[in-house]
C-alpha cells in the first residue's frame, strides 16, 4: 500500500531522548514554547509527536505555527501535507507538497508524497509526472510501484 514519507531529520537531536515517551515530549516542547514562543523547532517536533500519536489536527496546528515562524524550510510543509493526507484532505496536502517543492526542487520525497495524494484523487497523469521527477532525483519507489501495475510506462 502507499504511504507518505515523513521527514524527521531536521531536529532529530531534540527527539531522540523521547523515543517511546510522547507524553513527556509534548510536555517539554510545550514548556519550551512557553519560554520562547518563536522556537520553531519546538513546534515542529511537537507536531511530529502529535503526528506519531495520530493527533493530526494538533500536528497541523503546530506545523502551521512552525511555517509561520520559519516559512523557508520545506520539512514542515511535507509533514503538514502528510497530516492532511491522513485526514484525506488531499487538495491541502498537494498544496503543501507543492510548496515544499517550490522551496526545495530537489526534495524527492515531496514529489513522492504529492504523487500519492494525486493518486488518492485519481489524478493519474500527475502521479506519473511527480514520480518520474522523484526517480530522477534518486527515489524510484513510486515509479517502480506504478510500473509493476502497468502505469507510468
Amino acid at each position: 500500500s502507499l504511504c507518505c514519507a515523513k521527514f524527521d531529520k531536521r531536529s532529530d537531536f531534540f527527539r531522540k531522548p523521547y523515543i517511546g515517551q510522547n507524553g513527556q515530549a509534548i510536555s517539554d516542547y510545550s514548556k519550551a514554547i512557553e519560554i520562547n514562543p518563536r522556537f520553531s523547532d519546538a513546534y515542529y517536533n511537537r507536531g511530529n509527536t502529535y503526528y506519531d500519536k495520530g493527533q493530526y489536527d494538533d500536528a497541523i496546528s503546530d506545523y502551521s505555527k512552525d511555517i509561520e515562524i520559519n516559512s523557508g524550510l520545506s520539512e514542515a510543509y511535507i509533514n503538514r501535507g502528510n497530516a492532511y493526507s491522513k485526514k484525506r484532505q488531499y487538495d491541502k496536502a498537494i498544496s503543501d507538497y507543492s510548496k515544499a517543492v517550490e522551496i526545495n526542487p530537489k526534495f524527492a520525497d515531496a514529489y513522492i508524497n504529492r504523487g500519492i495524494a494525486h493518486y488518492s484523487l485519481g489524478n493519474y497523469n500527475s502521479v506519473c509526472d511527480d514520480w518520474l521527477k522523484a526517480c530522477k532525483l534518486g527515489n524510484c519507489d513510486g515509479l517502480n510501484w506504478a510500473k509493476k501495475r502497468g502505469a507510468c510506462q
Side-chain angles (χ1 to χ4, degrees), residues 30-120:
S30 296
K31 286 177 191 169
I33 290 165
E34 261 182 58
I35 294 166
N36 180 0
R38 305 281 305 158
F39 187 24
S40 66
D41 281 349
Y43 287 104
Y44 176 79
N45 283 305
R46 190 174 70 178
N48 284 342
T49 306
Y50 282 134
Y51 182 95
D52 291 344
K53 291 181 71 173
Q55 295 177 238
Y56 303 119
D57 289 328
D58 292 326
I60 288 166
S61 176
D62 276 355
Y63 294 139
S64 296
K65 187 64 177 176
D66 179 39
I67 289 166
E68 178 186 314
I69 295 167
N70 202 358
S71 65
L73 297 173
S74 57
E75 298 92 341
Y77 286 102
I78 289 281
N79 289 357
R80 188 174 71 178
N82 292 345
Y84 282 131
S85 285
K86 290 287 192 178
K87 292 174 53 86
R88 300 183 193 278
Q89 295 178 2
Y90 300 114
D91 288 329
K92 289 181 177 182
I94 289 167
S95 177
D96 276 351
Y97 299 141
S98 295
K99 184 64 178 175
V101 165
E102 181 184 315
I103 293 167
N104 182 359
K106 295 184 179 185
F107 198 171
D109 286 347
Y111 293 104
I112 291 290
N113 291 1
R114 189 171 68 180
I116 292 168
H118 279 301
Y119 181 86
S120 298

Side-chain angles (χ1 to χ4, degrees), residues 95-148:
S95 177
D96 276 351
Y97 299 141
S98 295
K99 184 64 178 175
V101 165
E102 181 184 315
I103 293 167
N104 182 359
K106 295 184 179 185
F107 198 171
D109 286 347
Y111 293 104
I112 291 290
N113 291 1
R114 189 171 68 180
I116 292 168
H118 279 301
Y119 181 86
S120 298
L121 291 175
N123 303 332
Y124 301 118
N125 288 337
S126 296
V127 172
C128 294
D129 291 344
D130 278 342
W131 288 350
L132 181 61
K133 288 175 189 168
C135 191
K136 287 179 181 176
L137 293 170
N139 184 340
C140 296
D141 293 345
L143 191 60
N144 291 337
W145 183 89
K147 285 184 176 183
K148 286 179 187 173

